[in-house]
Amino acid sequence: MATPITADALVAALKKEGAKVEEVRDWREHNRDHKGPWGPVHGVMIHHTATRGAKETVDLIYDGHADLPGPLSHGCITKDGTIHLVGNGRCNHAGLGDDDVLRAVVAEKRTPTPNQVNTDGNRHFYGFECENLGNGEDPWPAEQLEAIEKAAAALCRHHGWNEMSVIGHLQWTEQKSDPRGFTMDALRERIAARLK
């Protein structure tokens, strides 16, 4: 169980990992806290956006759309490796998922295959939306993968978590396939190496 990181501490943690950070508009006050609790936090969730274009993608993740208001994550990681901070607090990124998965994340163990949608993930996970079409063919540039690694590691280091606290959206609910184009096992290996 962990208290959510403050905005200032998040910026400092990301910069300490060597990340390139951009603060977007009034991200420090931008959240969905009026829709439910934020925290305790237990992990980091990685997504792909199914979009193309850095500016358009960041704006979408900040603003959301008619069916789902923003922010759609805490950060949007563009192909150039910039981490754009767009939300601070509860964000519309995880949705409902499997409580067995949450228990595994809390225990920092391998997650089971999700088969239920009974737990509010927006309350318990930091989210990073990553600019990619999500078709399995759109490339993931090295600088973007490194930024994803740094973002997740920064939060793990702050909270004292290990790499098993980082999951993909596809591990939270069987209704999602993201991120597509790299494996979460490979990402977690990179995060583990960085945390050492």
Side-chain angles (χ1 to χ4, degrees):
M1 179 185 301
T3 301
I5 194 170
T6 66
D8 286 343
L10 176 57
V11 172
L14 290 169
K15 289 184 175 178
K16 189 173 180 183
E17 291 296 331
K20 185 173 151 189
V21 178
E22 180 179 308
E23 299 186 51
V24 180
R25 297 185 243 167
D26 66 342
W27 76 277
R28 291 165 182 263
E29 288 79 42
H30 191 47
N31 58 58
R32 303 288 296 161
D33 289 358
H34 63 286
K35 287 295 186 180
W38 167 231
V41 288
H42 299 296
V44 180
M45 190 175 294
I46 306 299
H47 308 263
H48 65 236
T49 60
T51 61
R52 176 180 283 140
K55 182 184 183 322
E56 299 83 357
T57 297
V58 172
D59 286 345
L60 172 66
I61 302 308
Y62 183 96
D63 295 325
H65 49 79
D67 296 331
L68 194 65
L72 303 184
S73 69
H74 296 90
C76 179
I77 303 176
T78 48
K79 285 189 177 279
D80 67 354
T82 302
I83 302 169
H84 304 263
L85 296 175
V86 295
N88 179 39
R90 182 182 175 91
C91 298
N92 277 336
H93 73 99
L96 292 176
D98 194 320
D99 61 345
D100 293 330
V101 172
L102 182 61
R103 279 191 285 277
V105 171
V106 170
E108 297 182 314
K109 296 181 177 176
R110 184 163 287 281
T111 57
T113 300
N115 61 7
Q116 302 178 87
V117 285
N118 59 9
T119 301
D120 175 14
N122 294 334
R123 176 180 185 176
H124 297 297
F125 287 94
Y126 298 105
F128 289 94
E129 287 280 357
C130 306
E131 178 196 355
N132 191 278
L133 292 175
N135 58 9
E137 297 173 10
D138 190 14
W140 291 90
E143 51 269 297
Q144 186 180 29
L145 289 173
E146 186 175 355
I148 298 167
E149 170 195 326
K150 288 176 178 178
L155 286 163
C156 287
R157 198 181 304 281
H158 175 83
H159 289 296
W161 297 335
N162 72 27
E163 72 280 4
M164 299 309 291
S165 297
V166 183
I167 65 171
H169 203 184
L170 76 171
Q171 292 174 274
W172 179 238
T173 171
E174 61 187 349
Q175 299 170 2
K176 297 292 181 178
S177 64
D178 56 318
R180 197 162 169 217
F182 65 87
T183 69
M184 288 304 300
D185 283 341
L187 177 62
R188 281 189 289 267
E189 284 176 16
R190 294 177 60 150
I191 293 165
R194 175 170 287 275
L195 291 173
K196 287 179 184 172

